[in-house]
């Protein structure tokens, strides 16, 4: 496992390096606005499969993705008036479940059988900038074994996930709970998980 020290002042430079590594199919642990996350190219089925293997997570337990901008959400998803109201809240610790415009472009593990995907636009600059440079979504799942607690201390990553290719080390992160998850695929919003973000409506 290669380690790269994270510095906010060098965020874009680090993001450019990581975007190239992810594009080549590698798995990278990155700091996010909550815990450490496991990032891979979300349009690469082999990379996504590796994420599930490393996490020991069943492929039918779909994971969400980080995007680089609100424009990406409109490009990838079907957006109605309800969804528009929630997109206005971003970036935030909020995951929006939306219908994909072209669900066939996403591999198993990222899209549901119904064609839905979980979208995140993070307030942390690193995942956002990686996705922006890559011009594609990256996986947005926590860097831990499935069912175990999220990891906030980088020292635990090599112990828990030794098969990851690269660790972007930001030291010990604040212990912020996971994102709030809202399903917007129906007529009314449904909160699937109450997380660190409190909805204003």
């Amino acid at each position: 496992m290669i380690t790269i020290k994270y510095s906010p002042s060098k965020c874009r430079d680090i993001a450019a390096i990581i975007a190239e590594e992810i594009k080549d199919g590698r798995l990278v642990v990155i700091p996010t606005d909550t815990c450490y996350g496991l990032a891979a190219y979300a349009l690469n089925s082999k990379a996504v499969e590796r994420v599930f293997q490393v996490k020991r997570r069943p492929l039918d337990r779909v994971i969400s993705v980080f995007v680089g901008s609100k424009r990406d959400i409109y490009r990838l998803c079907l957006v109605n008036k309800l969804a528009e109201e929630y997109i206005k809240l971003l970036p935030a610790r909020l995951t929006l479940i939306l219908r994909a415009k072209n669900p066939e472009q996403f591999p198993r593990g990222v899209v549901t059988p119904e064609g839905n995907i979980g979208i995140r636009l993070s307030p942390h600059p690193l995942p956002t900038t990686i996705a922006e440079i890559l011009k594609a979504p990256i996986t947005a799942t926590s860097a831990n074994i499935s069912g175990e607690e999220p990891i906030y201390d980088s020292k635990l990553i090599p112990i828990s996930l030794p098969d990851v290719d690269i660790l972007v080390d930001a030291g010990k992160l604040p212990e912020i709970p996971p994102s709030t998850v809202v399903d917007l695929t129906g007529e009314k919003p449904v909160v699937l998980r109450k997380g660190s973000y409190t909805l204003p409506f």
Side-chain angles (χ1 to χ4, degrees):
M1 182 185 299
I2 298 169
T3 299
I4 298 173
K5 289 289 184 182
Y6 178 71
S7 168
S9 65
K10 296 181 179 178
C11 178
R12 191 161 191 90
D13 292 339
I14 294 168
I17 293 167
I18 298 307
E20 284 300 314
E21 297 293 337
I22 285 175
K23 189 175 182 180
D24 288 340
R26 293 180 182 86
L27 302 191
V28 185
V29 173
I30 60 172
T32 75
D33 51 296
T34 54
C35 58
Y36 276 94
L38 185 53
Y41 195 2
L43 302 182
N44 181 325
S45 59
K46 289 184 179 179
V48 171
E49 283 175 15
R50 276 194 69 201
V51 169
F52 281 83
Q53 289 166 0
V54 166
K55 284 179 65 74
R56 301 177 205 164
R57 180 184 177 104
L59 261 173
D60 57 358
R61 291 187 60 202
V62 175
I63 59 176
S64 56
V65 300
F66 285 121
V67 293
S69 68
K70 290 181 182 180
R71 291 189 303 275
D72 289 341
I73 301 175
Y74 283 87
R75 179 171 57 84
L76 296 170
C77 304
L78 298 172
V79 176
N80 58 20
K81 288 185 178 179
L82 174 65
E84 283 181 348
E85 292 303 307
Y86 282 81
I87 291 171
K88 288 176 184 176
L89 303 174
L90 302 175
R93 295 186 182 102
L94 182 62
T95 301
L96 305 181
I97 310 298
L98 299 167
R99 294 203 184 280
K101 278 185 180 176
N102 300 294
E104 66 281 355
Q105 75 175 304
F106 295 98
R108 187 181 173 205
V110 170
V111 66
T112 69
E114 297 78 24
N116 302 333
I117 56 173
I119 294 283
R120 289 212 62 207
L121 182 59
S122 174
H124 194 293
L126 186 59
T128 305
T129 308
I130 293 169
E132 175 201 328
I133 292 171
L134 191 61
K135 295 183 172 59
I138 61 173
T139 58
T141 185
S142 55
N144 57 284
I145 300 300
S146 187
E148 295 186 0
E149 292 297 311
I151 294 178
Y152 297 92
D153 188 345
S154 61
K155 292 178 182 176
L156 300 176
I157 296 295
I159 300 167
S160 181
L161 302 173
D163 294 329
V164 167
D165 300 307
I166 300 170
L167 165 62
V168 180
D169 188 348
K172 198 166 185 180
L173 305 178
E175 294 195 13
I176 296 169
S179 64
T180 297
V181 181
V182 184
D183 187 340
L184 300 174
T185 60
E187 292 184 6
K188 294 183 179 180
V190 177
V191 177
L192 301 182
R193 180 176 73 194
K194 290 184 179 180
S196 53
Y197 183 79
T198 301
L199 291 166
F201 39 75

